[in-house]
Amino acid sequence: MLTGNKLKIIASVVMFLDHFVTVFFAHNEMISLVFRLLGRLAAPIFCYFIAEGFFYTSNLKKYTIRLLILAVISHIPYDLAFGLSVFRNTSVVWPLAMGLIALTAYRNEKLHLLLKMAIIGACCILSYTANWNFVAVLWILGFGIFHGNFKHQMLSFIVVGVLFHLAPVFYRFGFFHDRFPQWFQLGIFFAIPLLAMYNGKNGKKSGFMTWFFYVFYPAHLILLYVLKHFTHLAEILNR
């Protein structure tokens, strides 16, 4: 069985490997495809624990604000690391925050159904240009709606993943495209057996683990940018 902390560390490690090969290797190289396959499980795990955090945080308002601040801090490092336009792209932290807001609205019994739907729709629209976009929002929402029912959580995860992530990607690029093969996207399903091993406990509480992801996410993006532009690592790896 795995604690929440262990699952988050696993997700962070495979995310780093995924980002590393994205920065330093061509998309269609086997090493890139393999590590990107493993990296696909990171987003579902983080989405799952955003939903878990909704139910177990001692202060939902502070939790939401921390995510929003992290999204702002991570914006420039994300775009620099991957050579993206700062006005058109942003990191996965933004839809994680939007997913938390959407779940908060859904669970608020004081809000009218139409207002709930409007807020959820707005969160999806605002996440459109982010990494994992509204898919992450819908995953968090599904995990939160079916909290306590793992089978229903995973069913919602699969339906959203297939309809809004896999189907559009495979339609656009194909399964075995020469330059942009997308079979690695099936790695999202690797998250299911790992989440099935979750024991419902966060693990040993410590200041380090509390702030680990908040620091690690922007820090690893800055590290990748520095390694690519201020060292000879890219040249060495491509010899």
Side-chain angles (χ1 to χ4, degrees):
M1 300 300 286
L2 296 171
T3 64
N5 285 341
K6 288 180 180 178
L7 283 165
K8 291 173 190 175
I9 290 174
I10 290 171
S12 297
V13 170
V14 296
M15 177 183 66
F16 177 81
L17 294 173
D18 178 3
H19 290 172
F20 184 86
V21 295
T22 301
V23 170
F24 289 103
F25 293 91
H27 182 77
N28 58 354
E29 289 189 39
M30 184 54 66
I31 186 174
S32 179
L33 291 167
V34 169
F35 281 120
R36 298 207 74 191
L37 175 75
L38 295 175
R40 296 307 90 189
L41 63 83
I45 289 177
F46 287 129
C47 287
Y48 188 87
F49 283 101
I50 291 296
E52 284 287 287
F54 171 84
F55 292 96
Y56 297 117
T57 184
S58 59
N59 191 318
L60 181 60
K61 183 178 180 180
K62 287 185 178 180
Y63 181 36
T64 305
I65 291 173
R66 284 201 303 270
L67 272 179
L68 288 170
I69 292 174
L70 179 61
V72 172
I73 292 173
S74 302
H75 175 68
I76 297 298
Y78 175 80
D79 289 335
L80 287 175
F82 298 110
L84 303 171
S85 168
V86 296
F87 298 108
R88 295 183 60 186
N89 307 274
T90 196
S91 76
V92 69
V93 185
W94 179 252
L96 292 182
M98 291 298 103
L100 180 59
I101 292 171
L103 180 56
T104 301
Y106 178 86
R107 286 282 180 172
N108 191 330
E109 297 180 354
K110 297 179 181 180
L111 296 180
H112 190 278
L113 177 60
L114 290 178
L115 181 56
K116 291 182 181 182
M117 298 305 294
I119 293 173
I120 292 170
C123 288
C124 288
I125 292 171
L126 289 172
S127 300
Y128 187 74
T129 59
N131 187 22
W132 287 101
N133 52 67
F134 62 89
V135 173
V137 176
L138 296 178
W139 275 342
I140 293 169
L141 197 59
F143 291 147
I145 290 173
F146 299 112
H147 186 257
N149 189 325
F150 185 75
K151 289 184 179 180
H152 286 179
Q153 284 182 316
M154 293 304 103
L155 181 60
S156 71
F157 164 69
I158 291 170
V159 170
V160 170
V162 170
L163 292 181
F164 299 110
H165 178 59
L166 295 180
V169 167
F170 290 154
Y171 176 78
R172 182 181 178 187
F173 295 108
F175 198 74
F176 290 113
H177 192 286
D178 290 340
R179 290 185 58 203
F180 302 105
Q182 295 292 323
W183 54 262
F184 72 89
Q185 300 288 359
L186 296 174
I188 60 172
F189 298 123
F190 287 175
I192 296 176
L194 284 175
L195 291 173
M197 297 173 68
Y198 174 47
N199 63 8
K201 299 178 181 179
N202 203 40
K204 186 177 180 180
K205 190 172 183 179
S206 68
F208 172 78
M209 284 309 305
T210 299
W211 291 100
F212 170 74
F213 181 69
Y214 292 99
V215 175
F216 174 79
Y217 188 79
H220 93 280
L221 294 172
I222 293 171
L223 174 62
L224 290 175
Y225 176 75
V226 170
L227 289 175
K228 182 177 181 179
H229 294 279
F230 297 98
T231 73
H232 297 290
L233 182 60
E235 180 183 333
I236 293 171
L237 292 173
N238 286 283
R239 284 177 180 173

